[in-house]
Amino acid sequence: MDKNNLIVYCEFEDGKVADVSLELLTKGRQLASKLGVKLEAIVIGDNLDKVEEQLFPYGVDRVYKVSDKRLYPYTTNPHAAVLINLFKEIEPQICLMGATCIGRDLGPRVSSCLHSGLTADCTSLEIGDHKDVKTGKEYTDLLYQIRPAFGGNIVATIVNPECRPQMATVREGVMKKEVFDAAHKGEVVDLDPSKYVSDEDFVVEIIDRHIEKSKINIKNSPIIVAGGYGVGSKENFDLLYDLANTLGAEVGASRAAVDAGFTEHARQIGQTGVTVRPKLYIACGISGQIQHIAGMQDSSIIISINNDPNAPINTIADYVITGNVEDVVPKLIKYYKKNSK
Amino acid sequence: MSLNIIVLAKQVPDTRNVGKDAMKEDGTINRAALPAIFNPEDLNALEQALHLKDANPGSTITLLTMGLPRAAEIIREAIYRGADSGIVLTDRVLGGADTLATSYSLAQAVKKFGNYDIILGGRQAIDGDTAQVGPQIAEKLGIPQVTYAEEILDLKDGFVTVKRRLENGVETVKAPLPCVVTVNGSAADCRPRNAMRVQKYKFAVSPSEVAKLTDRQKEIVENRPYLQLQEWGAAFVDADPEQIGFAGSPTKVKSIENVVFTAKESRVLDDDDAAIEDLVKELIANHTIG
Ligand SMILES: Cc1cc2nc3c(=O)[nH]c(=O)nc-3n(C[C@H](O)[C@H](O)[C@H](O)COP(=O)(O)OP(=O)(O)OC[C@H]3O[C@@H](n4cnc5c(N)ncnc54)[C@H](O)[C@@H]3O)c2cc1C
């Protein structure tokens, strides 16, 4: 088997590959092409029939499948054992995972065992060269792992010059999911689980599990009405739901609004929430701190409604409405209803 | 059953208000320049440990932290809230470590400490937000990990049952002891300081802090072993020089930049009816809405 490729660990639940994994495959395809290597995917679980059909359109050249009843639902050691043992054979140069409860549990375990570096929560991944300032040694084609640091106040570019694989996790929504070629086909490699996992790896037992499909899908909504602390109350947030219903939009929020209990965490947008890039983003009573902007700056059109004409978010807005949320939002609803027919 | 509990904690710079000057040229953090606090989720972990101690009289909680000597401050804070003692792992050669080198160093300290039943720590520290050190220590020690813990439901017969808080739900798992459990911010808050413990332990100091005491205070510390916090170095925990500090870190910071967002030319509107109706019409006309 050829070595030195780029591999993405794909999460699989309810017969579906997770969005975050498909987003990473999209990014992985670009990086692998740039490096001139194959894009590989690994799926570990149970009932993996035909999973490759979901993966190939994203440009995957090879899918490794490891299927065993005991490998679903995810537990740490068995999945880690598969990756560790497989990586010793195929020596990938890059391994990407979702910065999810699974990826952030699995990645460090694997990187510790392989003594490879791991960078969490990257917001951008690039290929580039590097010169070590101390030794003067030059490296080509490293993975630049770019992430916010220090609470989002700075952005750091991290490299792993010597150790492989170069590992990184990325949060859901940060990368764009795009089909590479619907007709693309790759190879499937079924791995024998007993060669990669031993009985002793099954140490942690899942007694009970309640996973709900998230009802909130702000990431894929073309229009987002987002509320901040300036919305003032849970009751006022209802105004935002009204506007969202009128426009066919979803409601998002800043962390301050979530912390204040105005709405649920699943709606939080920003560095520690979801990253969104809708056609229209209406920011209501949001000041626009770095950590919030990091999650919505790629919106095509931004409207800011804020009673402070100097709110930082106004600098990145296309339209600034200086006024109170409770006055402006009902007017938007009223004039949309009047003019939309 | 009395337990030996280790709580991993970190003294972190308060990341809410820092700029570029907080970083050194080599890309590592200039911790000395910032206000230092007890990493919030480590306090959640401490509370879970205190719960276990309440339920298992005779248990001891030892705080283990790696950092500058001043990190003894968080050990005292933990003791005021009910922990028993603490160790600061501190050494120049440990500086500049990434998460892997940090985990290795801490795992060495845990091995030196020896007998333990469970290791608790916060999910992640607010200066790095990586959540990597807990799992990596578990791997280095060859023991299981349970991350994203919200509550320890039960500990008996060599097993711990833990409720985990995941993105879209909850999971209850049972893991054999010893293991590492990392605790979420959604777990119970840590209890406050206990006034009597503050009185009793206010002179609990590490060897490097003893120098700052008066002779009278020094004497008190000398006569009361429970006031003596420990300070361990790299050699003491048999750390391999190749695996610690900057040299032992596979990841290197290539560059640091301040965050800048490209400002747009915005159109500023009043909140009167005419302006808002015009805007709505425009957005409908260019198919942004509708
Ligand atoms: C490590 C870290 C991660 C973080 N991650 C995130 C994240 O993912 N997402 C996030 O959002 N934040 C995040 N934050 C928090 C972030 O720094 C800000 O605190 C938060 O975004 C502020 O929310 P806000 O704009 O709603 O509140 P505020 O900053 O309080 O702003 C409220 C705004 O409302 C305006 N206002 C008040 N009343 C009215 C009114 N009646 N009508 C109109 N306008 C009004 C005010 O002028 C002000 O501009 C993070 C912080 C840290 C340290």
Side-chain angles (χ1 to χ4, degrees):
Chain A
M1 203 82 72
D2 45 311
K3 296 181 174 176
N4 213 26
N5 293 314
L6 185 156
I7 191 163
V8 175
Y9 170 86
C10 294
E11 293 180 33
F12 187 70
E13 176 96 34
D14 277 341
K16 273 192 66 188
V17 177
D19 266 358
V20 66
S21 308
L22 300 176
E23 291 159 13
L24 286 173
L25 288 173
T26 307
K27 184 49 143 190
R29 180 66 264 171
Q30 294 160 10
L31 299 174
S33 298
K34 178 132 203 219
L35 291 165
V37 301
K38 290 198 169 116
L39 173 63
E40 301 178 316
I42 178 160
V43 194
I44 305 171
D46 189 24
N47 291 324
L48 302 180
D49 292 348
K50 299 200 178 149
V51 61
E52 61 275 12
E53 289 174 10
Q54 294 177 43
L55 301 171
F56 287 146
Y58 292 88
V60 176
D61 300 310
R62 183 180 292 133
V63 178
Y64 295 99
K65 297 206 279 188
V66 192
S67 181
D68 186 302
K69 250 204 214 56
R70 297 177 301 169
L71 290 172
Y72 178 86
Y74 167 88
T75 49
T76 314
N77 287 18
H79 280 232
V82 171
L83 293 191
I84 289 162
N85 292 320
L86 179 67
F87 287 2
K88 284 180 184 162
E89 281 170 37
I90 65 168
E91 297 175 16
Q93 60 171 301
I94 294 173
C95 168
L96 307 178
M97 297 183 184
T100 57
C101 290
I102 290 180
R104 294 174 107 234
D105 180 79
L106 176 64
R109 188 101 193 172
V110 173
S111 93
S112 171
C113 184
L114 298 175
H115 194 80
S116 70
L118 168 64
T119 305
D121 296 353
C122 294
T123 48
S124 175
L125 297 170
E126 289 166 23
I127 302 295
D129 299 338
H130 174 64
K131 184 172 174 183
D132 189 300
V133 279
K134 281 190 187 135
T135 61
K137 195 166 165 192
E138 298 191 26
Y139 302 83
T140 52
D141 288 345
L142 291 186
L143 180 68
Y144 286 0
Q145 302 146 52
I146 301 162
R147 78 179 302 255
F150 248 53
N153 297 283
I154 51 171
V155 179
T157 301
I158 315 283
V159 289
N160 318 1
E162 299 285 349
C163 301
R164 296 292 176 273
Q166 306 164 78
M167 295 178 64
T169 64
V170 179
R171 296 176 78 92
E172 179 168 353
V174 169
M175 302 294 172
K176 254 191 233 169
K177 175 176 90 171
E178 260 163 12
V179 168
F180 169 72
D181 172 4
H184 182 86
K185 287 280 172 286
E187 161 196 10
V188 177
V189 180
D190 273 299
L191 299 176
D192 174 1
S194 68
K195 293 217 171 78
Y196 294 88
V197 197
S198 65
D199 289 347
E200 294 85 76
D201 290 318
F202 294 92
V203 281
V204 174
E205 185 194 343
I206 298 178
I207 302 179
D208 194 26
R209 193 164 179 264
H210 294 281
I211 303 295
E212 292 159 20
K213 277 223 196 76
S214 170
K215 288 174 286 262
I216 302 164
N217 190 356
I218 51 174
K219 199 183 64 178
N220 294 321
S221 178
I223 304 175
I224 293 174
V225 178
Y229 193 69
V231 173
S233 67
K234 210 171 155 117
E235 291 65 44
N236 281 356
F237 240 78
D238 288 341
L239 276 178
L240 306 191
Y241 287 100
D242 290 345
L243 178 58
N245 286 336
T246 311
L247 299 177
E250 271 286 358
V251 171
S254 72
R255 183 157 108 178
V258 172
D259 288 348
F262 298 168
T263 187
E264 58 260 72
H265 177 75
R267 299 191 185 276
Q268 185 180 314
I269 290 166
Q271 189 189 314
T272 45
V274 192
T275 300
V276 296
R277 31 177 90 74
K279 204 164 66 170
L280 175 63
Y281 191 91
I282 307 178
C284 309
I286 293 178
S287 62
Q289 301 308 309
I290 285 174
Q291 298 91 349
H292 186 79
I293 292 184
M296 48 67 72
Q297 56 177 319
D298 293 335
S299 308
S300 310
I301 295 180
I302 298 168
I303 300 177
S304 165
I305 304 168
N306 201 304
N307 60 13
D308 172 7
N310 299 317
I313 195 157
N314 293 353
T315 62
I316 65 154
D318 298 87
Y319 301 92
V320 172
I321 306 175
T322 307
N324 290 318
V325 172
E326 50 287 19
D327 302 331
V328 175
V329 170
K331 287 183 191 170
L332 284 171
I333 297 172
K334 176 173 157 197
Y335 290 113
Y336 179 79
K337 286 186 174 159
K338 181 177 161 201
N339 289 287
S340 65
K341 281 152 233 138
Chain B
M1 192 181 83
S2 64
L3 301 166
N4 274 323
I5 305 168
I6 297 178
V7 173
L8 301 168
K10 186 177 185 186
Q11 190 179 41
V12 291
D14 203 339
T15 49
R16 283 160 289 200
N17 242 324
V18 295
K20 202 182 161 99
D21 46 321
M23 308 297 287
K24 290 190 238 169
E25 254 170 40
D26 64 355
T28 55
I29 297 163
N30 185 11
R31 285 167 201 288
L34 294 157
I37 58 170
F38 203 122
N39 180 53
E41 286 182 328
D42 297 341
L43 282 171
N44 297 103
L46 176 60
E47 179 57 31
Q48 292 301 311
L50 291 167
H51 257 294
L52 286 175
K53 187 178 164 179
D54 292 343
N56 299 276
S59 298
T60 56
I61 298 174
T62 306
L63 208 89
L64 172 60
T65 181
M66 173 169 141
L68 297 172
R70 73 188 268 205
E73 290 163 11
I74 65 166
I75 296 182
R76 267 190 301 281
E77 184 63 42
I79 291 176
Y80 295 159
R81 296 172 191 238
D84 297 277
S85 62
I87 302 159
V88 193
L89 181 61
T90 184
D91 201 321
R92 289 182 94 92
V93 296
L94 297 173
D98 72 357
T99 67
L100 202 59
T102 301
S103 311
Y104 170 77
S105 310
L106 284 165
Q108 287 300 110
V110 171
K111 286 181 191 164
K112 190 83 194 177
F113 181 80
N115 205 8
Y116 60 92
D117 297 292
I118 188 165
I119 300 175
L120 294 159
R123 175 186 57 135
Q124 63 187 33
I126 58 166
D127 56 344
D129 292 327
T130 73
Q132 285 169 198
V133 171
Q136 288 177 337
I137 289 178
E139 195 281 331
K140 300 257 175 272
L141 296 170
I143 60 176
Q145 71 199 43
V146 178
T147 53
Y148 294 93
E150 190 164 78
E151 193 183 353
I152 294 183
L153 301 172
D154 188 30
L155 187 155
K156 66 165 188 284
D157 307 329
F159 286 88
V160 61
T161 308
V162 181
K163 178 171 134 199
R164 304 178 68 213
R165 168 69 50 188
L166 309 176
E167 288 108 348
N168 311 318
V170 290
E171 193 178 83
T172 305
V173 300
K174 189 173 166 189
L177 298 176
C179 65
V180 172
V181 177
T182 68
V183 182
N184 249 0
S186 63
D189 286 337
C190 191
R191 62 195 66 181
R193 295 173 173 189
N194 170 304
M196 273 162 60
R197 294 186 70 87
V198 175
Q199 271 311 310
K200 182 170 172 192
Y201 288 100
K202 66 180 176 205
F203 294 124
V205 286
S206 67
S208 39
E209 289 172 321
V210 172
K212 287 179 228 143
L213 300 182
T214 63
D215 287 346
R216 167 86 189 100
Q217 291 166 343
K218 277 182 192 152
E219 208 182 300
I220 296 174
V221 173
E222 229 162 83
N223 293 330
R224 298 180 193 168
Y226 63 85
L227 295 179
Q228 297 159 14
L229 308 182
Q230 298 188 61
E231 222 167 45
W232 293 359
F236 185 75
V237 301
D238 306 315
D240 170 6
E242 305 268 292
Q243 294 198 57
I244 57 173
F246 188 75
S249 301
T251 59
K252 311 283 179 203
V253 178
K254 180 175 167 58
S255 59
I256 298 282
E257 275 163 54
N258 275 326
V259 183
V260 273
F261 296 106
T262 25
K264 285 190 190 168
E265 225 166 279
S266 356
R267 253 175 61 195
V268 181
L269 312 171
D270 287 332
D271 63 348
D272 60 61
D273 286 70
I276 290 177
E277 182 162 15
D278 283 347
L279 171 65
V280 169
K281 281 183 180 165
E282 186 181 325
L283 294 174
I284 292 174
N286 67 22
H287 303 291
T288 304
I289 54 178

